[in-house]
Amino acid sequence: MQLQNDLFLRAARGEQTERTPVWLMRQAGRILPEYRAVRNSLSGFIELVRTPEHAAEVTIQPVDLLGVDAAIIFSDILVIPEAMGLPYEMIEKRGPYFPKTVESEADLNKLLGEEAADNLTYVYDAISLTKKNLNGRVPLIGFAGAPFTIFAYMIEGSGSKTFSKARRIFYQNPSFAENFLEKITAATIAYLKNQIRAGADLVQIFDSWAGILPPAQYERFSLKYIDQICNAITEVPVTVFAKGAYFARQAMGKLNCQVVGLDWNMDIAESRKLIGENKVLQGNLDPCALYGSYQSIEDQTKAMIDAFGNHKHIANLGHGVYPDTDPDKVKYFIQTVKKYSQKNAK
Ligand code: CP3
């Protein structure tokens, strides 16, 4: 199907566009009252993720209500652990919780690798249905967690300030960690390929906990597996977002991906220099900027657009939008990107 608005995809491929495309990480869910209404009509987050009709509905809400240039499928990075054999719960106001974690070789051996992807039919169905209902309005982004971030949750069992339970394994038993990461990588590649087969136009890899590793460990235990995923996905463009991995920007420039996401701690000019001219950059307004006045949001957004220049850039925040952000402020950010990048179009 021909897309009516393919700015996001053209920009991701490195083509010059009429204006800078814009979307927000975590735009589906989190901030919209319309999302909470759907979620509250069900038993909770997990039922919503598993019901393609509802997942498709909340995926499209930000396209209708905010005017973003791309939709991202409503799901979670934690569906992969579950499909591998480690179910999660989502605890209200606290986040994910795994009743069982991976503690031994025997636990690891029980988990599925590549075949885990067969357990995620509900995600592929949600993608096909979303594509049908979007009817070509904007492209659809598929996603997965980076193997290291998934590993961290599967060992730790929940979020953590330090992830020290997960990180200590890199010192205590690195070969166990490598076997585990390989298994997650195999599941993730099969999962992303199925998402693409179902209709995902681009896939993004979220390495949310990248920033807690020392650089050498980041190369060995995270980037290596992201690199394998990038090499395996040849069907559509790939975006790699590794939060806090400022120390790995040069290496990111060498990945076989089209887009690199920047968080708001990363200086834009310095990132361009380190990552190189070939990659499209995505980001990177501080999510907190959206708590400012309309004037301040406009000033900050314009400064960001100026710093990236209006080529090879996809506008976004530097991480997911915070849950208590006013949707009108989000809309103002989006409108500012659209107007200002157009005005400046070369
Ligand atoms: O735009 C979107 O939000 C699309 C769907 C999406 C969700 N999670 C839905 C969700 C995406 C892309 C994710 C990714 C995700 N999930 C990441 C990587 C991105 C990032 O922010 O770093 C991570 C680390 C997770 C794990 C996770 N899921 C956590 C820590 C939490 C709890 C708090 C929160 O909101 O982040 C979740 C729950 C979750 N995933 C919610 C949503 C909308 C909130 C659940 C609810 O409705 O109560």
Side-chain angles (χ1 to χ4, degrees), residues 107-282:
D107 290 345
L108 174 57
N109 290 338
K110 276 189 247 152
L111 296 176
L112 297 178
E114 197 180 330
E115 320 81 67
D118 299 338
N119 293 336
L120 293 165
T121 315
Y122 61 87
V123 179
Y124 317 135
D125 290 346
I127 290 176
S128 326
L129 186 62
T130 303
K131 282 292 285 184
K132 183 168 159 264
N133 294 352
L134 274 174
N135 199 19
R137 287 167 62 199
V138 292
L140 179 62
I141 303 169
F143 71 91
F148 164 66
T149 286
I150 297 297
F151 166 92
Y153 278 109
M154 291 176 85
I155 297 280
E156 205 81 31
S158 65
S160 157
K161 278 211 175 96
T162 58
F163 279 97
S164 57
K165 210 173 148 201
R167 281 199 321 108
R168 77 183 65 171
I169 298 175
F170 297 150
Y171 297 93
Q172 291 176 334
N173 197 349
S175 65
F176 169 77
E178 284 170 337
N179 291 339
F180 195 172
L181 287 160
E182 267 168 37
K183 212 164 191 175
I184 299 169
T185 304
T188 303
I189 290 172
Y191 176 49
L192 289 173
K193 284 190 175 279
N194 287 347
Q195 291 188 44
I196 295 163
R197 227 169 275 132
D201 296 296
L202 174 149
V203 292
Q204 174 157 332
I205 300 165
F206 285 92
D207 204 357
S208 305
W209 295 106
I212 61 174
L213 291 180
Q217 281 192 351
Y218 189 69
E219 291 258 351
R220 179 173 171 192
F221 296 108
S222 188
L223 209 52
K224 178 179 162 191
Y225 301 97
I226 292 176
D227 188 46
Q228 288 176 11
I229 296 171
C230 292
N231 289 334
I233 304 294
T234 50
E235 302 88 333
V236 298
V238 177
T239 299
V240 176
F241 172 66
K243 176 147 190 329
Y246 58 90
F247 47 79
R249 282 176 291 177
Q250 218 154 7
M252 300 259 166
K254 298 193 185 80
L255 287 172
N256 209 344
C257 69
Q258 284 65 34
V259 186
V260 175
L262 304 184
D263 70 37
W264 71 93
N265 292 120
M266 296 173 181
D267 178 79
I268 296 165
E270 181 189 56
S271 299
R272 177 52 87 193
K273 220 182 253 164
L274 288 167
I275 295 167
E277 292 300 322
N278 287 332
K279 300 289 188 230
V280 174
L281 300 180
Q282 178 172 277

Side-chain angles (χ1 to χ4, degrees), residues 24 31-33 66 290-292 294 297 321-333:
L24 279 82
I31 57 162
L32 294 173
L66 303 173
L290 300 185
Y291 297 112
Y294 286 99
I297 293 171
V321 59
Y322 295 141
D324 59 349
T325 308
D326 177 353
D328 285 335
K329 297 270 171 97
V330 173
K331 265 193 248 174
Y332 196 67
F333 163 67

